[in-house]
Amino acid sequence: MSVLGLMKKENDTKVTEFVLLGLSSSWELQLFLFLIFLLFYVAIVLGNLLIVVTVRADAHLLQSPMYYFLGHLSFIDLCLSCVTVPKMLGDFLQQSKTVGFLGCLAQIYFLHFLGASEMFLLTVMAYDRYVAICNPLHYLTVMNRQLCLQLVFACWCGGFIHSITQVILVIQLPFCGPNELDNFYCDVPQVIKLACMDTYVVEVLMVSNSGLLSLVCFLVLLFSYAVILITLRTRFHQGRSKALSTCASHLTVVSLIFVPCVFILRPFCSFSVDKIFSVFYTVITPMLNPLIYTLRNADMKKAMKKLRKKHVATCCPFEG
């Protein structure tokens, strides 16, 4: 019995790393993708960093709950891209793409920690817009600084609890081969399928935790914006158009984030387009968010111009 137990233990701990199949096996295509995603990553870092710096540097924006939340959203997008994109860029330049078991767990943890925090934050931003449009006279009283801090803290705590749950689901599973993940990063659905046991219950728990969370937040957001749009029907044209523009930006971001998430987090099966949705979630969305929020927002563009003039005046005090 002790010999059988020892053999089982050795089999359970056999897999110490996972092989990532990535986006392509063609060396020429990998080099092309490296250049493309490098440009994407630079755009993500510069775009989101610009929003964070602009919000922090402008006292008017920092005091506004909407832009306070937007600064946190850009910070999360910046961190989220750092979880997967640098590893993907490095893998494009080598034939063997591997990640250690602990590295895989760390990637799962931070991916779900930041992803869930972002979902909760988008829900908070929808509530902020609801109060601003449906109860404008009491907006600053309701959305005071203390409440904003508490809501952001709650988002981070919710993300932490969610990610810890996901890691616990994975860390208890035995892995004895195969060890190939058909993606460019580690995520729970793909890793679970490699376990040397029946994973039906684990996959149900995974969907209950991640999929249900994404779906519930998405439905709450849609309901919130439906109420907002109904309320806007009674508003004057000028105020209504500005509010509609803001809500349109939020809804675009919500769709870019939640639709791929709800699609990816399915149990028991996988499709070839999963990688495309993964790219959207981890690369395209963090890159587009700054463009969506700045190109459609007059206050952000005004604050960025002011920041640029201030920077020019600091660097070239005798110009003009």
Side-chain angles (χ1 to χ4, degrees):
M1 184 67 68
S2 60
V3 175
L4 291 174
L6 182 61
M7 290 177 63
K8 183 179 184 300
K9 185 176 180 182
E10 287 178 354
N11 284 337
D12 287 350
T13 57
K14 184 177 179 181
V15 173
T16 58
E17 64 179 18
F18 294 100
V19 177
L20 302 172
L21 299 183
L23 296 177
S24 173
S25 58
S26 168
W27 178 245
E28 291 76 12
L29 184 56
Q30 284 188 167
L31 291 177
F32 174 74
L33 290 174
F34 171 80
L35 295 174
I36 295 296
F37 281 98
L38 179 62
L39 293 175
F40 285 170
Y41 186 54
V42 171
I44 291 170
V45 173
L46 294 180
N48 286 289
L49 202 58
L50 178 61
I51 287 183
V52 172
V53 171
T54 301
V55 172
R56 296 293 300 177
D58 192 288
H60 173 69
L61 293 184
L62 191 59
Q63 293 299 318
S64 169
M66 182 178 77
Y67 295 106
Y68 175 75
F69 294 138
L70 177 58
H72 278 276
L73 179 67
S74 292
F75 176 73
I76 291 176
D77 277 334
L78 180 62
C79 295
L80 185 62
S81 66
C82 294
V83 175
T84 58
V85 181
K87 169 65 175 169
M88 178 175 61
L89 290 174
D91 286 342
F92 280 141
L93 300 179
Q94 52 190 358
Q95 294 291 353
S96 177
K97 307 173 182 65
T98 60
V99 57
F101 184 76
L102 292 179
C104 187
L105 287 180
Q107 202 169 47
I108 288 173
Y109 171 79
F110 285 108
L111 188 69
H112 284 268
F113 173 50
L114 295 166
S117 298
E118 185 167 42
M119 289 182 184
F120 290 130
L121 184 60
L122 287 169
T123 308
V124 167
M125 292 174 73
Y127 173 71
D128 170 69
R129 290 300 84 205
Y130 167 79
V131 176
I133 293 170
C134 300
N135 196 10
L137 297 179
H138 300 91
Y139 172 62
L140 293 178
T141 304
V142 175
M143 298 301 297
N144 55 69
R145 174 60 59 169
Q146 184 179 1
L147 179 62
C148 290
L149 289 171
Q150 291 172 346
L151 289 172
V152 169
F153 180 71
C155 291
W156 287 110
C157 288
F160 173 77
I161 294 171
H162 165 74
S163 62
I164 283 293
T165 305
Q166 295 297 95
V167 170
I168 290 173
L169 285 176
V170 175
I171 203 169
Q172 64 180 340
L173 298 174
F175 296 96
C176 51
N179 66 337
E180 288 187 343
L181 292 172
D182 190 17
N183 213 329
F184 58 92
Y185 66 92
C186 285
D187 201 5
V188 178
Q190 292 89 9
V191 174
I192 284 177
K193 296 184 193 312
L194 299 180
C196 301
M197 61 174 285
D198 182 10
T199 58
Y200 180 87
V201 175
V202 179
E203 292 191 60
V204 170
L205 290 174
M206 181 270 293
V207 171
S208 300
N209 186 275
S210 290
L212 197 59
L213 170 68
S214 303
L215 186 59
V216 169
C217 286
F218 187 50
L219 292 176
V220 170
L221 283 163
L222 290 181
F223 176 76
S224 300
Y225 283 113
V227 174
I228 290 171
L229 292 174
I230 292 171
T231 305
L232 286 174
R233 291 176 60 186
T234 62
R235 293 295 171 87
F236 294 109
H237 178 71
Q238 184 177 0
R240 183 171 59 188
S241 61
K242 184 177 180 181
L244 279 172
S245 177
T246 303
C247 289
S249 299
H250 287 199
L251 280 171
T252 303
V253 171
V254 165
S255 300
L256 286 171
I257 291 174
F258 279 89
V259 172
C261 266
V262 173
F263 186 87
I264 291 170
L265 296 170
R266 305 177 317 277
F268 319 124
C269 64
S270 60
F271 299 129
S272 58
V273 293
D274 282 358
K275 288 185 184 181
I276 298 175
F277 281 98
S278 296
V279 169
F280 254 92
Y281 176 65
T282 59
V283 182
I284 304 300
T285 299
M287 181 182 66
L288 292 180
N289 282 358
L291 295 175
I292 293 169
Y293 279 113
T294 55
L295 292 179
R296 297 179 61 89
N297 193 297
D299 292 335
M300 281 297 298
K301 288 188 282 189
K302 182 179 178 181
M304 286 179 180
K305 288 179 181 178
K306 189 192 302 183
L307 182 65
R308 185 179 61 188
K309 289 179 180 178
K310 183 179 179 181
H311 178 71
V312 171
T314 304
C315 295
C316 311
F318 301 107
E319 186 175 325

